[in-house]
DNA sequence: GTATTATATTTGACTGGTCAATGAATAGTG
DNA sequence: CACTATTCATTGACCAGTCAAATATAATAC
């Protein structure tokens, strides 16, 4: 075995492999992409939110947000309006329709996640969540 | 708290956020994309390998493999040749140049991974690897 | 009050993944 | 032997992310 992966490298490999698998499966199962689901989910929790803080919450590039919202608006699930006090910022909120649809999506989502973690104890889920957070912190400003 | 994320859902969220961050950072640090690195890394371990088994090893779509290899071939790091006994399959191998370059990349890679997991004990890395594998198994045929 | 700087969003170019359709070669079956 | 299946690789269309540049508005500093 001239040049095998270290265990650490292997983790990275598994990581990549897993996320590549998750995205399309999630979408097939739930009928919505994981990113869109997150956007809607965040919007569900609040009344109205400006786009940049929404972006920070879901942790993807602003350009992607713009495009997602455009689609979601076209499909009648969200509305955007400018902040009258600061015309740079855009307020985003769910429509009633969006608010109903997200509930359906949530059911599918829960099913998917449960399946993925079905043999995990709550301690394991906690530990996993903790480790993911630490990894994130470790590379945040690299 | 009308509709908060469950812990399980949160894991999925963290997961997605983390991989989105990893890819560009990995590439900035190492000078090569994670997928290309993996391809080269797998090729390093063997003498020659056919494309489809390489694809299974790195766990990404065949179409993506075709395109990566095209690039890697153009940059002189790999060679392809048809299997004379079965003209459908393509054998891939590293060039001498590729074999040298991967060694450099490996150094950068190791640094990156070490940083990402710098506060993890070996037990934690093992546990993480184990959990990732289980998640993968849980959704493999969904 | 104008000039500069900073912030929010958008747009365009690029990369990398998916799926579905195609082409080419082999394998299997009557 | 011909006909159908399969298999491997490629291609095209699409989606989702990145970065960098452009735009528009607001805030700050002379």
């Amino acid at each position: 075995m001239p040049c095998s992966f270290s265990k650490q490298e292997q983790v990275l490999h598994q990581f990549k492999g897993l996320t590549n698998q998750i995205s399309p499966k999630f979408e097939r199962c739930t009928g919505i992409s994981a990113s869109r689901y997150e956007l809607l989910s965040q919007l569900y929790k609040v009344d109205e939110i400006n786009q940049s803080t929404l972006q920070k919450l879901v942790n993807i590039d602003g350009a992607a947000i713009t495009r997602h919202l455009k689609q979601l608006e076209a499909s009648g699930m969200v509305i955007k309006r400018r902040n009258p006090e600061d015309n740079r910022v855009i307020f985003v909120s769910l429509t009633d329709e969006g608010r109903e649809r997200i509930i359906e999506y949530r059911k599918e989502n829960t099913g998917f996640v449960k399946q993925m973690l079905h043999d995990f104890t709550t301690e394991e889920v906690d530990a996993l969540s903790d480790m993911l957070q630490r990894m994130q912190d470790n590379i945040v400003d690299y």
Side-chain angles (χ1 to χ4, degrees), chain A:
Chain A
M1 203 171 298
C3 189
S4 71
F5 278 122
S6 77
K7 193 84 186 186
Q8 296 187 329
E9 278 177 291
Q10 198 191 323
V11 166
L12 189 55
H13 173 211
Q14 289 178 289
F15 217 82
K16 225 181 140 310
L18 187 48
T19 10
N20 281 352
Q21 297 211 352
I22 284 178
S23 301
K25 288 180 192 209
F26 182 93
E27 190 158 352
R28 266 198 300 278
C29 281
T30 61
I32 191 175
S33 85
S35 298
R36 299 253 170 102
Y37 176 76
E38 276 208 36
L39 280 171
L40 295 176
S41 229
Q42 294 291 349
L43 286 169
Y44 190 92
K45 295 188 201 170
V46 299
D47 199 38
E48 208 173 38
I49 190 174
N50 53 4
Q51 190 167 317
S52 58
T53 65
L54 179 58
Q55 185 232 310
K56 278 158 208 141
L57 285 174
V58 301
N59 225 341
I60 59 183
D61 189 272
I65 303 282
T66 297
R67 285 155 191 147
H68 279 306
L69 288 179
K70 197 170 178 183
Q71 283 295 109
L72 290 171
E73 192 176 30
S75 64
M77 301 180 68
V78 313
I79 335 179
K80 309 200 287 185
R81 71 182 183 96
R82 298 212 97 97
N83 178 349
E85 265 118 53
D86 182 345
N87 266 286
R88 288 170 303 181
V89 339
I90 289 198
F91 283 152
V92 191
S93 56
L94 284 181
T95 61
D96 292 344
E97 153 119 29
R99 209 158 269 278
E100 287 181 18
R101 300 261 303 271
I102 176 71
I103 295 175
E104 293 306 312
Y105 287 135
R106 177 174 292 274
K107 281 184 204 149
E108 305 303 324
N109 171 280
T110 308
F112 179 82
V113 177
K114 277 215 162 73
Q115 169 66 26
M116 184 172 74
L117 299 172
H118 84 265
D119 54 352
F120 281 59
T121 66
T122 36
E123 289 76 23
E124 283 179 318
V125 174
D126 286 348
L128 178 56
S129 174
D130 182 61
M131 290 197 253
L132 293 175
Q133 187 60 53
R134 280 159 60 200
M135 288 165 75
Q136 171 119 3
D137 294 342
N138 288 342
I139 62 164
V140 70
D141 38 34
Y142 212 64

